[in-house]
Amino acid sequence: MENIDWDSLLPVVFAGLMGLSILIYVVLDGYDLGVGVLTAFAADDEKDRMIASIGPFWDANETWLVLAVGLLLVAFPAAHGVILTTLYIPVSIMLIGLIFRGVAFEFRAKVRPERKRLWNLSFFCGSLVTALSQGYMLGIYVLGLDTSWLAVLFGVGVALALTATYAFLGAAWLIFKTEADLQRKAVTWARRTLAIMALGMGTISIVTPMASDRIFSKWFSVPEIILLAPLPLVAGGLFVALWFMLAKMPFAKDRFSWAPLVMGAGAMITGFAGLAYSFYPYVVPERLTIYESASATESLGIILVGTLFVLPIILGYTIFAYTVFRGKATALTYN
Amino acid sequence: MSELDPFILARIQFAANISFHILFPTITIALGWVLFYLRVQYNRTNEMKWMDIYHFWVKIFALSFGMGVVSGITMSFQFGTNWPGFMESVGNIAGPLLAYEVLTAFFLEAVFLGIMLFGFRKVSARVHTLATFLVTFGTTVSAFWIIVLNSWMHTPQGFEVREGVAYATDWFAIVFNPSMPYRLLHMLLASGLTVSFLIAGVSAFRWLIGQHTDAVKSALRLGTVVAAVLMPVQIFVGDLHGLNTLEHQPAKIAAMEGNWETQGNVPLLLFALPDEDARKNHFEIGIPSGASLILKHEASGIVPGLNDFVGENGEILHPPVSAVFFGFRLMVGIGMLMLAVSWLSVWQMRKGRDLKPLLAVGLVGMTFSGWVATLAGWYVTEIGRQPWLVTGVLSTRDAVGPIGSGMVASTLVAYLVVYVLLLAAYIGVIIHLARKGDSAEKPRDAARVGGGPLPAVDPVMKAE
Ligand code: HDD
Ligand code: HEM
Ligand code: HEM
């Protein structure tokens, strides 16, 4: 233990933990935000089923966002300040989106029937605004928190792409959790959004190295380019496989209904790994590294102990919750 | 229009958000325990009325929880956006405490909430009871961590400052800082009182509009009895809390008492208009030597005065007096009213008698009185700490972020509009649910409650 250099190890560990919770967040809340966006295209009774399929999970999914922001705040306070003050307006818009969507779950089921429409609308708009603002922030972040008009334009593009990505995940979730007409509809939605998702991920992969010489040389030199080649290849392979598979879905006896969700998540993991590789060791692109912005080692240590102890427990009971609500979604009831 | 001070705006925004947020934890913390109690009662007695009350209140719990979650997420972002100076200087202490809250409490609540709310037919009665317990336990653990942090800001210890940054030296001392036990107890009791008056108020309303069911009557009794028991405890704890504050934050006590000069025989002021420019009170009405008696237990006891907290150059080092002074009176006043109303109600309902309409109307009027007292209490505590953010370590002014006031102002307006709308909708839904009663929700087959799946096609299983 003597020769472990905690001062330089802990920031990496925390960057990893933060990355992990962001990744878990975008996949998990991605599917439920996506379902929210897709409610715009569904009939009223379908909306009930769609929302019932995510009802027991959404709160826990959002908690990963709280953990991610929390880790940014506690482990890299300086970076937290820079990022959140630059993105102040989109963050505020996202929060208001999250508010409208989060409360709609409860309100829509409790108000007088005439008011339900209004809360369905709030649910859709909240989900859409949240997805769009997260995408916009991703775009701005990828360009190093640049706020020139060109960057803003790029941000808008990424906003649309990430929304489509979430919608894809939402459709894939519905393929997994619903049946009959709604499931068939979800297959169509998945196919339509898949193309935009692939386009978006491709664009980000090209723009990121273009925008920064440092990132460019990290990718396009030997042997890195060979070692990294699997990332885009796997992602491309998944997209092609999804495209052909969705054309034939749903399969008899509901076989492989889980596959689009898992494959979509796989594609997101490759994209995320690529971004992580590009930006390491920066937490604010080209400005602040994880080492420069880390908190005191003692404080990080005490958080790490707690995290390593609690994280497996959290994962355990999360899996338990998913098994309780396994199978096709049924309408939700309190009694 | 002149540029508004971003400092003031950031404070207003933070105060607005936390005030909105705290309304809902205040309900969920204690309501969770009530639901757990009801669930256990049902398991024990198999009497349907307990499940009826449970099913009525679990909806209000779910709604409050949702409101708490979304406003809480807003809070966790605002910590960094509005108070970067806070994290820069005391982040090494605040950080781990916040992290432990997320790790030990938020996930527990959020994951088991799904099972608690919608798992009734999917898991056994025992697992459902356990899920109810874990959610409730989670809310209380969450309250523990955040109160630890907040109390540390009032009475910091267990750290050292190097180059303007605080480093933890003793975590035990940080967690068990002097004001923590009092503040935690006082807050948990506040939550209990808020919920018992909410339950009593809503049940009294249902009683008045003719829902004379067993469940409504039991809920009314439950609410008033809990309130009647908790209120004296709250007075006792509140008194200890005040004595502790006298020791650690004398300026706050001076402001609460509206006492300008350090002296003995200080009266307990029932009313006064503190005037900070003239540095005296107008229109004082008080009980002679009352404050000395309460704080020092003797009539001649010396009570600290505000004039001790003025710097050499006239700089004011005590909190704004009026807000603390009136906030305190509002809280204690509501507390006394709660005591009177709850005892009277319990007395009237003794041996199964019915509540008289007049008192029932009074309970309806006090449905949300706990909210008012809780907010008043927090304002006393927080404004009473000014000009410090962390007593003696960090002043509030040093903690503001570099955000332009235009941005803060526009988002502040947006938040306020959203909050007013949601609060109206929230209260509207509670009224709507109370009107509807629990008739629509009655499970048809008591034998099936709490275990075994329902048949796949069930017309009642729509969306609710
Ligand atoms: C005394 C209690 C108390 C106080 C003072 C606060 N909270 Fe809170 N908070 C809770 C008690 C609570 C709770 C009881 O645990 C919640 C309320 C809604 C819910 O029912 O859980 C919650 C929810 C909640 C959530 C959502 C958690 C989830 O996803 O389940 C966040 C992110 C925060 N809070 C953050 C904060 C911050 C940053 C605060 C201070 C500045 C704060 N809370 C003050
Ligand atoms: C839960 C109920 C709470 C309420 C109603 C509340 C209310 C307030 C109010 C009204 C202010 C403004 C005081 C002023 O500016 O004069 C304030 C300040 C502040 N409080 Fe609290 N507070 C609560 C809990 C907390 C907790 C739990 C924390 C931290 C863990 C906290 C941290 C702060 C901070 C950072 C400020 C900023 C300084 C300032 O605005 O003056 N508060 N709070
Ligand atoms: C009638 C007797 C009461 C007394 C003597 C009393 C005393 C106090 C004192 C001295 C404080 C300030 C603590 C400090 O920061 O130094 C306080 C704060 C507070 N009070 Fe009360 N209180 C009473 C009733 C109530 C009631 C009925 C409620 C709500 C239902 C309530 C809720 C609060 C809250 C939420 C706070 C802020 C958090 C804290 O510091 O504990 N109090 N109270």
Side-chain angles (χ1 to χ4, degrees):
Chain A
M1 295 295 275
E2 286 295 290
N3 43 18
I4 296 180
D5 176 8
W6 289 106
D7 288 353
S8 49
L9 186 63
L10 279 175
V12 183
V13 171
F14 272 88
L17 284 173
M18 193 173 77
L20 186 67
S21 48
I22 295 177
L23 179 62
I24 296 179
Y25 171 74
V26 290
V27 172
L28 293 184
D29 214 27
Y31 80 69
D32 73 45
L33 287 167
V35 169
V37 172
L38 292 173
T39 53
F41 309 100
D44 276 350
D45 63 317
E46 290 171 339
K47 285 182 190 156
D48 286 349
R49 253 184 300 156
M50 290 165 75
I51 296 174
S53 78
I54 55 178
F57 307 113
W58 72 275
D59 184 6
N61 294 348
E62 263 176 29
T63 307
W64 291 99
L65 176 66
V66 177
L67 180 62
V69 177
L71 285 175
L72 179 64
L73 175 72
V74 304
F76 308 107
H80 181 276
V82 175
I83 294 174
L84 290 190
T85 40
T86 316
L87 298 176
Y88 193 76
I89 294 289
V91 165
S92 305
I93 294 175
M94 174 188 80
L95 290 172
I96 289 176
L98 282 173
I99 291 176
F100 274 109
R101 155 197 156 74
V103 298
F105 277 100
E106 299 299 334
F107 276 123
R108 63 184 292 287
K110 293 179 186 60
V111 289
R112 274 174 277 143
E114 322 83 84
R115 294 274 173 81
K116 188 164 168 185
R117 270 216 130 81
L118 196 68
W119 289 108
N120 278 342
L121 184 69
S122 150
F123 183 68
F124 163 71
C125 293
S127 305
L128 181 70
V129 165
T130 305
L132 285 172
S133 47
Q134 287 178 358
Y136 176 79
M137 289 189 271
L138 175 66
I140 299 288
Y141 179 84
V142 162
L143 295 184
L145 296 180
D146 178 3
T147 43
S148 65
W149 68 269
L150 212 67
V152 169
L153 207 65
F154 179 71
V156 172
V158 179
L160 295 172
L162 189 74
T163 306
T165 304
Y166 285 174
F168 171 81
L169 289 174
W173 170 260
L174 293 173
I175 296 175
F176 176 41
K177 295 294 277 187
T178 64
E179 48 207 342
D181 281 354
L182 182 55
Q183 191 186 36
R184 277 190 286 281
K185 246 185 177 173
V187 172
T188 324
W189 290 332
R191 226 164 167 240
R192 290 199 188 137
T193 45
L194 180 69
I196 314 178
M197 173 179 176
L199 186 74
M201 273 179 65
T203 315
I204 295 181
S205 312
I206 296 169
V207 169
T208 321
M210 291 302 167
S212 150
D213 293 339
R214 185 185 61 80
I215 295 176
F216 188 89
S217 56
K218 265 182 107 170
W219 282 83
F220 299 99
S221 49
V222 192
E224 281 84 351
I225 190 159
I226 298 164
L227 292 173
L228 290 166
L231 283 182
L233 289 180
V234 168
L238 284 169
F239 282 129
V240 173
L242 273 168
W243 181 256
F244 286 108
M245 196 171 89
L246 285 169
K248 299 216 167 51
M249 285 192 87
F251 298 123
K253 296 205 193 109
D254 206 43
R255 257 179 301 183
F256 297 110
S257 64
W258 49 267
L261 186 64
V262 172
M263 289 159 79
M268 295 196 62
I269 293 173
T270 61
F272 195 82
L275 280 180
Y277 172 75
S278 300
F279 288 108
Y280 177 84
Y282 286 93
V283 55
V284 182
E286 322 301 328
R287 269 195 266 172
L288 263 181
T289 67
I290 54 176
Y291 305 104
E292 291 159 353
S293 56
S295 299
T297 306
E298 305 87 306
S299 292
L300 288 182
I302 197 150
I303 304 175
L304 186 63
V305 174
T307 312
L308 293 182
F309 182 69
V310 180
L311 213 52
I313 302 178
I314 293 176
L315 289 175
Y317 56 64
T318 304
I319 292 169
F320 174 69
Y322 274 86
T323 47
V324 166
F325 296 98
R326 69 187 170 278
K328 298 296 177 186
T330 49
L332 294 177
T333 161
Y334 289 122
N335 52 18
Chain B
M1 201 178 89
S2 72
E3 185 88 333
L4 275 166
D5 187 354
F7 169 66
I8 299 292
L9 282 171
R11 285 170 77 169
I12 297 176
Q13 190 183 55
F14 187 86
N17 281 314
I18 186 99
S19 302
F20 183 71
H21 177 62
I22 195 63
L23 298 179
F24 303 103
T26 307
I27 288 182
T28 54
I29 295 167
L31 189 52
W33 288 110
V34 171
L35 290 174
F36 177 61
Y37 165 78
L38 293 168
R39 180 72 241 216
V40 171
Q41 275 297 47
Y42 174 71
N43 291 352
R44 223 167 43 80
T45 63
N46 243 357
E47 279 180 59
M48 214 42 230
K49 71 172 182 197
W50 298 116
M51 253 9 240
D52 286 346
I53 311 177
Y54 183 97
H55 285 308
F56 180 83
W57 285 98
V58 78
K59 283 181 225 144
I60 292 176
F61 179 81
L63 189 64
S64 314
F65 207 99
M67 302 276 274
V69 169
V70 296
S71 56
I73 292 177
T74 313
M75 293 300 318
S76 55
F77 276 86
Q78 263 188 5
F79 242 89
T81 49
N82 289 18
W83 309 106
F86 178 73
M87 286 314 280
E88 269 162 39
S89 73
V90 297
N92 288 323
I93 285 146
L97 296 176
L98 289 169
Y100 272 81
E101 183 183 12
V102 179
L103 289 168
T104 60
F106 288 166
F107 276 105
L108 193 69
E109 296 166 8
V111 173
F112 284 100
L113 182 71
I115 300 176
M116 170 180 173
L117 296 183
F118 309 119
F120 199 62
R121 305 256 168 199
K122 302 208 182 250
V123 295
S124 68
R126 187 171 302 163
V127 174
H128 186 253
T129 311
L130 181 70
T132 308
F133 170 77
L134 288 174
V135 171
T136 305
F137 180 68
T139 57
T140 309
V141 172
S142 151
F144 170 79
W145 288 116
I146 198 79
I147 296 267
V148 164
L149 171 53
N150 182 268
S151 298
W152 182 84
M153 291 162 62
H154 287 273
T155 50
Q157 66 175 28
F159 67 102
E160 62 186 20
V161 177
R162 282 180 275 164
E163 290 161 20
V165 176
Y167 292 85
T169 53
D170 180 354
W171 279 103
F172 188 84
I174 290 173
V175 172
F176 295 93
N177 64 76
S179 64
M180 189 280 282
Y182 303 101
R183 184 164 287 110
L184 180 64
L185 257 181
H186 198 62
M187 178 62 209
L188 293 180
L189 287 166
S191 173
L193 285 162
T194 306
V195 166
S196 47
F197 270 89
L198 178 71
I199 293 180
V202 170
S203 307
F205 176 74
R206 292 175 65 187
W207 185 261
L208 284 172
I209 60 171
Q211 299 177 17
H212 290 204
T213 65
D214 228 15
V216 170
K217 199 163 176 189
S218 298
L220 186 57
R221 179 177 301 275
L222 182 71
T224 47
V225 169
V226 173
V229 172
L230 292 187
M231 198 53 230
V233 185
Q234 180 71 311
I235 294 179
F236 179 68
V237 172
D239 183 43
L240 293 181
H241 196 3
L243 293 177
N244 182 264
T245 308
L246 174 65
E247 192 181 332
H248 297 278
Q249 293 172 294
K252 189 194 276 184
I253 289 290
M256 284 184 336
E257 300 297 347
N259 182 33
W260 296 94
E261 285 302 336
T262 301
Q263 58 192 4
N265 295 90
V266 175
L268 179 64
L269 297 179
L270 300 177
F271 183 84
L273 281 183
D275 181 339
E276 278 200 53
D277 296 323
R279 302 199 67 76
K280 64 183 192 113
N281 297 330
H282 304 287
F283 313 111
E284 277 186 16
I285 306 171
I287 301 170
S289 302
S292 292
L293 275 171
I294 289 179
L295 292 165
K296 295 288 181 181
H297 303 292
E298 53 181 333
S300 58
I302 310 280
V303 174
L306 291 159
N307 289 340
D308 284 6
F309 304 93
V310 179
E312 305 265 287
N313 48 2
E315 193 192 359
I316 304 288
L317 297 172
H318 61 74
V321 183
S322 296
V324 177
F325 181 82
F326 287 115
F328 187 68
R329 269 145 199 76
L330 186 58
M331 170 183 68
V332 175
I334 292 177
M336 295 305 166
L337 199 60
M338 283 178 155
L339 186 70
V341 170
S342 61
W343 282 23
L344 209 58
S345 306
V346 171
W347 168 249
Q348 269 195 8
M349 288 195 290
R350 73 191 180 279
K351 298 197 198 115
R353 284 174 218 197
D354 284 347
L355 199 61
K356 303 239 166 63
L358 189 64
L359 200 53
V361 171
L363 281 174
V364 174
M366 288 185 70
T367 306
F368 294 103
S369 57
W371 271 1
V372 181
T374 302
L375 280 181
W378 276 107
Y379 276 67
V380 171
T381 296
E382 299 285 310
I383 298 177
R385 187 186 56 214
Q386 304 304 320
W388 297 107
L389 186 50
V390 180
T391 309
V393 178
L394 175 68
S395 77
T396 309
R397 188 166 274 283
D398 291 338
V400 210
I403 310 157
S405 58
M407 278 208 268
V408 183
S410 55
T411 53
L412 173 62
V413 171
Y415 282 125
L416 288 179
V417 171
V418 171
Y419 290 161
V420 169
L421 282 177
L422 289 184
L423 209 54
Y426 176 84
I427 294 176
V429 166
I430 291 186
I431 296 172
H432 171 64
L433 288 176
R435 283 233 172 85
K436 203 169 78 170
D438 44 17
S439 52
E441 278 284 336
K442 226 169 235 161
R444 291 117 292 145
D445 179 357
R448 270 205 323 246
V449 168
L454 271 188
V457 197
D458 187 328
V460 196
M461 293 196 44
K462 277 247 154 112
E464 243 183 337

